[in-house]
Amino acid sequence: ISSKILSHRICSVIFDPSSYQDYMHHYPILQFNKKNHSFSCQNLLHQRVKRGWVWNQFFVLEEYTGLEPLYIGKLHSDMDKGDGSIRYILTGEGAGTTFTIDDSTGDIHAIQRLDREVKSQYVLRAQARNRLTDRPLEPESEFIVKIQDINDNEPRFLDGPYQAAVPEMSKIGTSVIQLTATDADDPTYGNSARVVYSILEGQPYFSVDAKTGVVRVSLADMDRETRENYTVVIQAKDMGGQLGGLAGTTTINITLSDVNDNPPMFDQRLYQMSVPETAPVGSVVGRIWAKDRDIGVNAEMTYSIVDGDGRDTFDITTDPTNLFGIIIVKKPLNFEKKPSYTLKVEGANTHVDPVFFKRGPFKDVTIVHVSVEDVDEPPVFDLPAYYIEMPEDAEIGTVVKTVSARDPDAANNTVRYSIERSCDPEKYFYIDITSGSLMTVRSLDREEISWHNITILAMEMNNPTQIGSVSVALKVLDVNDNPPSLTHYLEAYVCENAKAGQRIQTITAVDPDEPPGGQHFYYRLAPEAVNNPNFTLRDNQDNTAWILTRRGGWSQQEQTIFYLPIIISDGEQPVQTSTSTLTIRVCSCDHEGNVMSCNAEAYSLPASLSRGALIAILACIFVLLVMILLMLSLRTHRKKPYLCDEEENVHENIVRYDDEGGGEEDTEAFDIAAMWNPREVHHHLGKMRQDMLPEIESLSRYVPQACVVGGGGDSNVHGYVLAKLLEADMDPCAPPYDSLQTYAYEGEGSVAESLSSLQSGTSNNDHEYDYLNDWGPRFKKLAEMYGVLETNSPPMW
């Protein structure tokens, strides 16, 4: 309001009419208009209000520690006559709590300790009122109490202690870190906040700028490898560093960071390493290390083989830390060919600082000697795999292939051959134990098995654990050994209304053989059907043939079924021919040729043959069959048993036990009952043998000469033994090694009769053994013992 009054000659202000008297008291020049509730003033420039307040400028020092309240100043109005009629009032910041006023005299005191760093000034308001009427005598006025600063705060490093780093070998004056100390005192009043820096600890390595607080290197060529960490103490002092100033300190931990100023160096000039010759490619031989006093990337290395006779056999890489060199095998090793290698290896830093080139070269070389250790290796075949083609009509005993393996070691031990059991479960092949000749022991059939994949094992004689293997792939070549036959149409039909020359069926053939030029079949009727008046055959020369009728007038009442033998031959050499019989039924058809019925009409029995006569005929046939069966049964019971006569069946049954356990299985290989009754020796295929299975297949020397198809009957010992041998060869559960079996049966009706010593005591006469020469080479040894061997007798087998 006062500003408006002073700046305008005429003013009009709207006020609350209830308080107009207060405004009139403060501003007596105002005239109140009750009609519009406004004040008006006229000719203001000709009047001036005299200031009524009187007081001094208020300043007070902080941190007053006296016992009495601190006097600050005095408020006084020129209207105060000293009679106590005026009451002084103090309001604002800290009034009543920090500052008090004597309402009669206007004296202001501070009743609390003041701190400029907490609050530097206080804004207060003063008013003078009539003590009796409480009317304001002076307008309320605002004044400020300022707190004057004293040096009561020391400089502080707010972020300390500090961590800093500087590269080693830095020059003098290199900046490390800049420090700033803060002083809470007033920087505009005196020197309380003027700070000066100095170093208390860390000389002569570092120094600090007194004004800026920058810490610098003061000693040249400091080496991290000699000393890495330094502790520096910096002081900040106010009052410009003068005596009496306050001071604060902080600590700086300075670390010298690494630079690549040291070349690498191998701790050994010669490394000795060894590796077995069987080590696979990529296996680790050993590692080397070119040590570097530097750390981090400055110590990282790269290694290379720069010379030596093993550059092509070995390689070197760096480990994940880029510190060590790892030597690995690059090519297969062979002790017998080369027992040792020499490598010249270089290690060089990967990160080189040009500033320190004069300290180089930053690389070093060493020699690595690698010895190859001899290992007992399994035999090695001359080829990694074999591929063989063989016709399916090859004779038994034909040599398929002769494989060769050798011991790669210097000892060159003898090698023995065998076939891995699981690859040839049907035992089509046999391999000679010494020569490695693979031969057939069973006939091959391409239509049954067209490929045979055989694994041949080679074992060292002196160390059976060393076994080499090789795969033999045998392809069975086709031979025209199967005749063709009709495919599916073994039955056809002809309609009763069929005419002569009508086609009733198209036939095709199939042949399991695979001739190189493709299948070509020829069809013709069998000789007995060439003049058949009913049907004929036409060969279409495209592997098909037509069946045609020769007449018409077919009737189911006359004949229901016709049989037509057809001869089919293929075009390969040797030509294979077969005869297939085509069954042709006479059927009733509709006018479109669709079959309606192929069964003959039912007809009644002839009147001359009664139903009772037919039953009598069937009863006679039944009785006749019963009589035949009874006769066969009686004949079987009259047969002489093998073991009923003790004189004819005196045998030795000696079972020798070499151990104390095993139970009744010990005698399984000596089943004497089987020899007494050869007709019951054929075991079921499902019976499992109890022989122990060896870990490695036996390398049998036996080569079967022929497959035993038959024999001379049960009385033929030779045939019986061969049958047992073939049965053992075909048994999938038979042991792979030779199993000695003892047979005490000499055979029924043997010309030699019994050879048992139990019946030889009846006569002491000399025996003639010339008949031993007639028994063949199997009794050659026996004939030699009795001195009856013919010297120039030709071999029989």
Side-chain angles (χ1 to χ4, degrees), residues 619-635:
C620 292
I621 295 174
F622 177 75
V623 172
L624 182 60
L625 291 175
V626 172
M627 292 179 64
I628 293 174
L629 292 175
L630 182 61
M631 293 175 63
L632 291 176
S633 177
L634 293 175
R635 183 178 178 183

Side-chain angles (χ1 to χ4, degrees), residues 540-655:
N540 298 322
Q541 301 299 320
D542 61 353
N543 289 342
T544 65
W546 290 351
I547 305 298
L548 307 174
T549 60
R550 280 188 172 182
R551 65 179 178 88
W554 305 92
S555 176
Q556 292 184 358
Q557 297 293 337
E558 295 179 0
Q559 188 172 348
T560 305
I561 299 177
F562 294 89
Y563 297 100
L564 188 64
I566 301 173
I567 297 177
I568 310 170
S569 59
D570 55 23
E572 296 296 323
Q573 296 296 328
V575 176
Q576 299 290 334
T577 303
S578 68
T579 301
S580 299
T581 301
L582 182 67
T583 301
I584 304 175
R585 294 183 180 275
V586 179
C587 301
S588 61
C589 306
D590 58 13
H591 64 280
E592 294 181 356
N594 298 322
V595 176
M596 298 176 60
S597 174
C598 292
N599 296 324
E601 297 293 336
Y603 58 95
S604 61
L605 293 172
S608 59
L609 185 61
S610 64
R611 193 175 300 275
L614 182 59
I615 294 175
I617 292 174
L618 294 176
C620 292
I621 295 174
F622 177 75
V623 172
L624 182 60
L625 291 175
V626 172
M627 292 179 64
I628 293 174
L629 292 175
L630 182 61
M631 293 175 63
L632 291 176
S633 177
L634 293 175
R635 183 178 178 183
T636 302
H637 284 290
R638 284 197 302 269
K639 289 184 179 181
K640 183 178 67 174
Y642 278 95
L643 303 177
C644 62
D645 190 353
E646 295 183 358
E647 288 187 358
E648 294 183 6
N649 295 280
V650 179
H651 306 285
E652 294 178 351
N653 188 8
I654 302 175
V655 181

Side-chain angles (χ1 to χ4, degrees), residues 742-757:
T742 304
Y743 303 101
Y745 172 63
E746 290 91 22
E748 183 179 1
S750 173
V751 296
E753 298 180 352
S754 176
L755 299 180
S756 173
S757 61

Side-chain angles (χ1 to χ4, degrees), residues 8 46 73 80 105 218 266 367 376 391 396 430 635 638 673 679:
H8 295 82
H46 299 283
D80 188 357
T105 63
S218 60
F266 287 101
I367 303 298
D376 191 2
I396 296 177
Y430 163 81
R635 183 178 178 183
R638 284 197 302 269
R679 296 178 180 86

Side-chain angles (χ1 to χ4, degrees), residues 56-265:
N56 296 324
Q57 183 73 29
F58 295 150
F59 292 95
V60 61
L61 288 176
E62 65 173 334
E63 303 295 343
Y64 171 72
T65 58
L67 298 177
E68 297 295 330
L70 177 63
Y71 177 77
I72 295 177
K74 184 180 182 64
L75 296 179
H76 182 71
S77 174
D78 55 0
M79 299 177 65
D80 188 357
K81 304 301 182 181
D83 57 358
S85 61
I86 296 178
R87 181 167 62 91
Y88 295 96
I89 299 173
L90 183 67
T91 60
E93 296 178 341
T97 57
T98 303
F99 303 99
T100 61
I101 188 171
D102 189 332
D103 61 352
S104 298
T105 63
D107 293 334
I108 301 174
H109 292 81
I111 59 175
Q112 287 189 355
R113 185 177 179 181
L114 302 177
D115 189 354
R116 190 202 67 83
E117 286 72 37
V118 175
K119 191 172 181 62
S120 61
Q121 65 181 15
Y122 294 85
V123 179
L124 297 171
R125 292 182 298 277
Q127 189 177 21
R129 287 178 176 271
N130 188 295
R131 189 179 295 272
L132 295 177
T133 63
D134 199 29
R135 289 191 310 168
L137 301 179
E138 296 284 355
E140 187 180 59
S141 179
E142 183 180 88
F143 64 93
I144 297 174
V145 177
K146 291 187 176 181
I147 311 301
Q148 288 186 336
D149 182 55
I150 64 173
N151 188 18
D152 59 342
N153 292 280
E154 73 276 4
R156 295 180 181 273
F157 294 93
L158 301 181
D159 298 328
Y162 297 87
Q163 302 289 335
V166 63
E168 62 174 331
M169 300 294 171
S170 296
K171 297 180 180 179
I172 296 176
T174 302
S175 176
V176 179
I177 190 175
Q178 182 176 11
L179 305 180
T180 300
T182 302
D183 197 322
D185 295 325
D186 189 359
T188 63
Y189 180 77
N191 294 326
S192 298
R194 191 164 69 89
V195 178
V196 174
Y197 301 93
S198 62
I199 184 169
L200 301 181
E201 183 180 339
Q203 295 175 324
Y205 308 104
F206 300 95
S207 62
V208 63
D209 187 279
K211 293 182 179 180
T212 63
V214 176
V215 179
R216 302 179 184 275
V217 175
S218 60
L219 183 63
D221 297 333
M222 287 190 293
D223 192 1
R224 184 200 66 83
E225 288 73 32
T226 303
R227 182 178 176 182
E228 183 175 4
N229 298 310
Y230 295 85
T231 300
V232 178
V233 178
I234 301 297
Q235 182 190 67
K237 191 174 183 180
D238 58 13
M239 299 298 291
Q242 297 177 5
L243 186 64
L246 302 178
T249 61
T250 189
T251 301
I252 311 173
N253 295 315
I254 301 177
T255 301
L256 297 183
S257 59
D258 186 63
V259 297
N260 193 6
D261 59 339
N262 293 281
M265 183 175 296

Side-chain angles (χ1 to χ4, degrees), residues 4 8 10-15 33 36-41:
K4 290 181 181 293
H8 295 82
I10 301 174
C11 64
S12 177
V13 186
I14 304 300
F15 292 100
N33 188 349
N36 55 6
H37 302 287
S38 63
F39 292 92
S40 62
C41 50

